[in-house]
Amino acid sequence: IVNVTAAMEGLKNQLNFTSGSAQKGAQDFEYLKDISDQMGLDFNTAATAFAKFSGAARGTALEGQKVKDIFESVGMASTVMHLSAEQSEGAFRALEQMLSKGKVSAEELRGQLGERIPGAFQIAARAMNMTTMELDKFMSDGKLMSEEFLPRFAAQLKTEFAGGMDAAGQSLQANLNRMNNSFLELKYTVGELFMPVIQGTINLLTNAVGFIKDNIAAISGLAAAFFTLASAVFLYNTYMK
């Protein structure tokens, strides 16, 4: 419960920063809860990926609603392809790296993204109205810019995967993710409720450790004296009586 509460606090701080305010950050947090439940995504993985991707998009043409559009398209593909939380995280990380670099490279598109979403390169070619050979040459020349490519790729993902969402959204993996999300939310709710007690306990333990560290010499002396006295009493009772 303590670890989950600390992680959720950190996530909220990230969302506050990437969105520009605590109010917008809270709205993004609720949005992520809703979209994770709707698509059957693992909340922790999806929300962390969204925060990083949103941070990478700050100051670019993709900041704001376009980030959500891209995020939802990859989330949809993750659900339809029954990707695990780890695989979904890898797909989102590839997008984050594309945006951070400003250009799309074969490492992210063919490698990281293609390994998680089968046919990603062919989908990308269709998104750019190119053949795979044309896209490969365009990308190799360093002309495939992230800000142009990602919205078009997201739209193509939605076009190709939308038809499979109804069935995939009720799959075992999606329902397992929803169950795990419910447990996560329960832990966080309990953590928030008992936050004063948790903080008090942490402060008490911190102070206790500090006291021991500052008085280790005196404590060691008392321990040695007690051990010596106990040994003397034992020897007397054993051999002198």
Side-chain angles (χ1 to χ4, degrees), residues 11-12 14-36 43 46-47 50-51 54-55 64-65 67-68 71:
L11 174 62
K12 282 189 170 182
Q14 289 181 55
L15 293 173
N16 291 345
F17 172 75
T18 58
S19 67
S21 70
Q23 181 181 1
K24 290 182 179 178
Q27 291 172 353
D28 283 347
F29 188 81
E30 292 303 315
Y31 157 77
L32 289 165
K33 285 170 59 178
D34 291 341
I35 202 69
S36 295
F43 172 80
F50 177 87
S54 182
Q65 183 58 43
V67 166
K68 293 182 179 179
F71 170 79

Side-chain angles (χ1 to χ4, degrees), residues 180-195:
N180 290 334
N181 293 344
S182 294
F183 280 118
L184 186 75
E185 188 171 2
L186 175 61
K187 291 175 184 177
Y188 181 48
T189 301
V190 173
E192 281 193 309
L193 181 64
F194 288 99
M195 184 58 68

Side-chain angles (χ1 to χ4, degrees), residues 103-104 134-145:
K103 295 180 181 180
V104 180
E134 289 172 339
L135 178 62
D136 194 45
K137 177 69 166 58
F138 197 67
M139 185 170 57
S140 298
D141 292 341
K143 297 179 180 179
L144 190 58
M145 310 306 293

Side-chain angles (χ1 to χ4, degrees), residues 6-231:
M8 290 299 102
E9 279 192 339
L11 174 62
K12 282 189 170 182
N13 287 336
Q14 289 181 55
L15 293 173
N16 291 345
F17 172 75
T18 58
S19 67
S21 70
Q23 181 181 1
K24 290 182 179 178
Q27 291 172 353
D28 283 347
F29 188 81
E30 292 303 315
Y31 157 77
L32 289 165
K33 285 170 59 178
D34 291 341
I35 202 69
S36 295
D37 182 67
Q38 178 185 330
M39 292 189 174
L41 299 172
D42 179 82
F43 172 80
N44 194 40
T45 300
T48 302
F50 177 87
K52 291 180 179 179
F53 186 65
S54 182
R58 289 193 72 190
T60 72
L62 304 184
E63 187 173 4
Q65 183 58 43
K66 288 184 179 179
V67 166
K68 293 182 179 179
D69 292 338
I70 296 167
F71 170 79
E72 288 178 20
S73 71
V74 177
M76 181 181 293
S78 297
T79 300
V80 173
M81 298 303 297
H82 300 281
L83 301 187
S84 66
E86 183 179 356
Q87 290 171 320
S88 295
E89 182 182 13
F92 285 121
R93 189 187 308 120
L95 297 184
E96 178 198 342
Q97 290 178 359
M98 289 178 191
L99 188 53
S100 296
K101 293 178 180 179
K103 295 180 181 180
V104 180
S105 69
E107 179 185 354
E108 290 90 23
L109 185 54
R110 283 188 181 276
Q112 295 181 41
L113 195 60
E115 288 175 4
R116 276 82 181 182
I117 303 176
F121 191 77
Q122 289 77 7
I123 295 171
R126 289 192 287 273
M128 298 300 295
N129 294 318
M130 297 179 180
T131 66
T132 53
M133 290 182 64
E134 289 172 339
L135 178 62
D136 194 45
K137 177 69 166 58
F138 197 67
M139 185 170 57
S140 298
D141 292 341
K143 297 179 180 179
L144 190 58
M145 310 306 293
S146 303
E147 291 187 23
E148 177 189 2
F149 168 73
L150 288 175
R152 297 177 69 170
F153 181 66
Q156 190 66 30
L157 281 177
K158 284 190 176 182
T159 298
E160 301 201 14
F161 285 103
M165 264 304 297
D166 288 342
Q170 296 305 317
S171 68
L172 178 60
Q173 183 63 61
N175 285 323
L176 282 172
N177 287 338
R178 291 187 182 97
M179 181 185 70
N180 290 334
N181 293 344
S182 294
F183 280 118
L184 186 75
E185 188 171 2
L186 175 61
K187 291 175 184 177
Y188 181 48
T189 301
V190 173
E192 281 193 309
L193 181 64
F194 288 99
M195 184 58 68
V197 176
I198 294 172
Q199 290 283 28
T201 302
I202 291 172
N203 291 336
L204 181 64
L205 291 173
T206 301
N207 292 334
V209 171
F211 175 82
I212 293 171
K213 181 186 69 174
D214 294 339
N215 298 277
I216 191 67
I219 293 172
S220 298
L222 288 173
F226 177 79
F227 179 77
T228 301
L229 178 61
S231 299

